[in-house]
Amino acid sequence: TLYAFGVASYDTTEDWERFFGFSKEMGIHTVTCEPKLEQLDFVESLAIKYKIEVAIHNHPDPSIYADPKVLEKALKGRNPIMGVCADIGHWKRTGNDPIESLKKFEGRIKVVHMKDLNEKMKDTTWGTGVLQVKEVLKELKRQKFSGLISVEYEDFGDSQLDDIKKSLEYFNQNSN
């Protein structure tokens, strides 16, 4: 079963329509994307039309959504089908507290891109870096989050598969 698809960004309404049509055809539940602010009304209308949740991703600069305040303002008053793809590593990279950002978007988090970062802001095995991964999991549990958590590594190395296995072990030990 396909659950989520993205991260997408398009310039034309035709491309957005094609993206949502394809996603509907594939049975996708949630699309992750970064629409321009002036496209939000149209993207919201497509989400409602196709009954597909939208998770707006928070890539770091130069993304307009790097600042959680921009994303919070963009979602204000919108249909609950519109929400957030919470990338906790990107929040940390942009100087935002991942826990406070998760709290800010309670009820709007559709997808989480989970990672941990070392002191140089490079990906590392969960629980070994500077992010509060255990606290992030506690906050998601407090919110009764039931969406998708993606294991995400921006930096690919030779040990990536081992790192993912260790991260999943960490998740299983700390998500109860």
Side-chain angles (χ1 to χ4, degrees):
T1 301
L2 297 174
Y3 187 86
F5 180 64
V7 176
S9 183
Y10 298 104
D11 289 324
T12 69
T13 56
E14 294 81 11
D15 287 339
W16 279 111
E17 185 82 43
R18 194 169 19 259
F19 171 69
F20 273 88
F22 170 80
S23 297
K24 182 67 171 184
E25 195 173 310
M26 296 302 292
I28 291 169
H29 180 268
T30 304
V31 294
T32 304
C33 58
E34 282 187 283
K36 296 174 182 143
L37 290 173
E38 61 271 15
Q39 295 173 325
L40 283 172
D41 290 343
F42 185 68
V43 169
E44 181 179 26
S45 73
L46 292 174
I48 293 166
K49 173 183 174 181
Y50 288 102
K51 297 179 178 72
I52 297 174
E53 288 187 342
V54 170
I56 299 175
H57 195 283
N58 61 299
H59 278 119
D61 289 330
S63 171
I64 57 175
Y65 302 111
D67 182 349
K69 292 175 191 155
V70 172
L71 185 50
E72 186 177 33
K73 185 176 177 184
L75 290 172
K76 188 174 182 166
R78 294 204 177 272
N79 189 295
I81 204 165
M82 301 287 286
V84 177
C85 172
D87 190 314
I88 63 166
H90 290 331
W91 275 329
K92 182 71 172 175
R93 286 182 176 111
T94 57
N96 294 287
D97 183 307
I99 306 294
E100 291 307 311
S101 296
L102 287 171
K103 288 177 181 177
K104 184 178 295 208
F105 294 109
E106 184 168 352
R108 287 273 192 180
I109 301 169
K110 307 293 185 186
V111 176
V112 175
H113 284 185
M114 184 71 78
K115 58 182 65 142
D116 201 348
L117 306 173
N118 65 21
E119 300 80 25
K120 296 180 181 177
M121 297 292 115
K122 299 288 185 186
D123 296 338
T124 189
T125 305
W126 298 357
T128 65
V130 298
L131 277 171
Q132 311 132 303
V133 176
K134 192 173 196 174
E135 289 78 8
V136 165
L137 294 173
K138 282 182 185 177
E139 178 57 25
L140 291 171
K141 186 173 185 176
R142 184 195 70 75
Q143 292 186 25
K144 296 179 176 58
F145 175 73
S146 62
L148 177 74
I149 297 177
S150 294
V151 178
E152 188 173 70
Y153 280 80
E154 305 280 332
D155 307 306
F156 293 92
D158 293 337
S159 67
Q160 187 177 18
L161 188 56
D162 289 336
D163 288 343
I164 291 171
K165 287 178 185 176
K166 289 176 188 171
S167 292
L168 291 175
E169 287 171 10
Y170 181 87
F171 174 84
N172 288 331
Q173 291 169 359
N174 292 284
S175 63
N176 298 330

